[in-house]
Amino acid sequence: MVSSRACTIWFTGLSGAGKTAITNALVPLLKARGCKVEVLDGDIVRANLSKGLGFSKEDCDIKIRRLGFVCQLLTRHGVFAIAAAISPDKTGRDENRTLIKDFVEVYVKASLETCIQRDVKGLYKNVLAGESRKFTGLSDPYEPPDNPEVICDTERETPSAGAQKIVRKLEQLDYLVPLAGAAENGDGEYIDDDEELVRQRLEALGYL
Ligand code: ADP
């Protein structure tokens, strides 16, 4: 199965909202369909593409622009680029939408309270203890998207359900060819035969 055409999947959400977790669930689904995929996770990008940049508004804007530039190049060459960074500014995301065009925005939604409770990387603890700098959601604003293509509510849906929802949207937008014989349960989630088909493909590719 090949994709119709590649796009950039742009995750946005607070730290700890679940961008990485959903990305990890999404990548094997895309690869199982023969897509070329590249993940640009905020934490990874910080160590190379954006090395040396700080957390001022100016530097953060540059990071998002660079990320968008790389996603555009990848997408233009048939790669599904997944950007998983907080990207708190609506303007920066919208600029990348205009630049890339084939752009699917995924709002990974979780309340600040939930993210603080999860505190996967211990970052909130440090900030709240006054040990570190500014932080999105605490000292700096986070602007949720108005019209994202997908909303993954990670207080209610598992990462796997979130990934499936994205796949379904990619099919609706003609970025992916729907799997033959797929059946939906009405919520855009696959059932029975299709899940088994995906499982078999993942197994064949060595992901399971
Ligand atoms: P982010 O990349 O947005 O900073 P992470 O994916 O690193 O967030 O962390 C989110 C944390 O929340 C992980 O520990 C993940 O296992 C947990 N989590 C719990 N429920 C969900 C869910 N439904 N979707 C995504 N992550 C979830």
Side-chain angles (χ1 to χ4, degrees):
M1 183 73 58
V2 289
S3 61
S4 310
R5 62 188 210 276
C7 66
T8 288
I9 302 164
W10 191 282
F11 285 99
T12 174
L14 291 170
S15 176
K19 300 179 293 298
T20 305
I22 298 173
T23 296
N24 290 341
L26 176 63
V27 168
L29 297 181
L30 294 177
K31 288 195 171 170
R33 288 167 180 242
C35 305
K36 285 188 230 162
V37 184
E38 190 64 57
V39 175
L40 297 137
D41 191 279
D43 293 334
I44 297 164
V45 167
R46 201 168 299 131
N48 42 69
L49 189 66
S50 301
K51 199 170 175 181
L53 291 176
F55 292 91
S56 67
K57 168 87 173 70
E58 220 172 34
D59 279 6
C60 289
D61 288 349
I62 295 172
K63 284 182 208 169
I64 295 306
R65 251 182 239 129
R66 284 187 189 172
L67 193 53
F69 176 71
V70 175
C71 287
Q72 188 217 5
L73 296 182
L74 288 166
T75 295
R76 197 165 77 189
H77 291 282
V79 179
F80 281 75
I82 301 181
I86 300 173
S87 49
D89 281 3
K90 218 183 279 185
T91 312
R93 296 191 305 262
D94 288 346
E95 274 174 20
N96 283 335
R97 179 186 285 278
T98 305
L99 175 77
I100 298 166
K101 295 181 188 72
D102 291 307
F103 184 93
V104 174
E105 193 172 21
V106 179
Y107 175 30
V108 183
K109 187 177 167 196
S111 67
L112 180 62
E113 292 68 32
T114 297
C115 295
I116 290 174
Q117 249 171 31
R118 288 179 183 163
D119 208 6
V120 201
K121 298 158 207 157
L123 297 171
Y124 287 103
K125 190 170 81 72
N126 291 344
V127 180
L128 292 169
E131 283 172 28
S132 55
R133 49 183 168 66
K134 295 145 41 70
F135 203 69
T136 305
L138 295 174
S139 61
D140 295 351
Y142 173 76
E143 299 174 345
D146 291 329
N147 284 306
E149 276 74 9
V150 183
I151 299 177
C152 295
D153 182 344
T154 68
E155 292 178 17
R156 293 188 176 77
E157 301 159 357
T158 62
S160 159
Q164 281 192 31
K165 209 173 179 182
I166 296 166
V167 165
R168 183 74 194 107
K169 179 54 75 174
L170 295 176
E171 289 178 349
Q172 284 169 0
L173 296 172
D174 284 337
Y175 290 114
L176 289 178
V177 177
L179 291 175
E184 273 180 42
N185 66 3
D187 294 327
E189 290 179 11
Y190 291 120
I191 50 172
D192 302 334
D193 292 357
D194 189 56
E195 272 190 8
E196 177 56 19
L197 198 63
V198 171
R199 197 196 63 73
Q200 284 172 14
R201 286 201 177 133
L202 291 178
E203 200 166 39
L205 286 165
Y207 288 109
L208 296 179

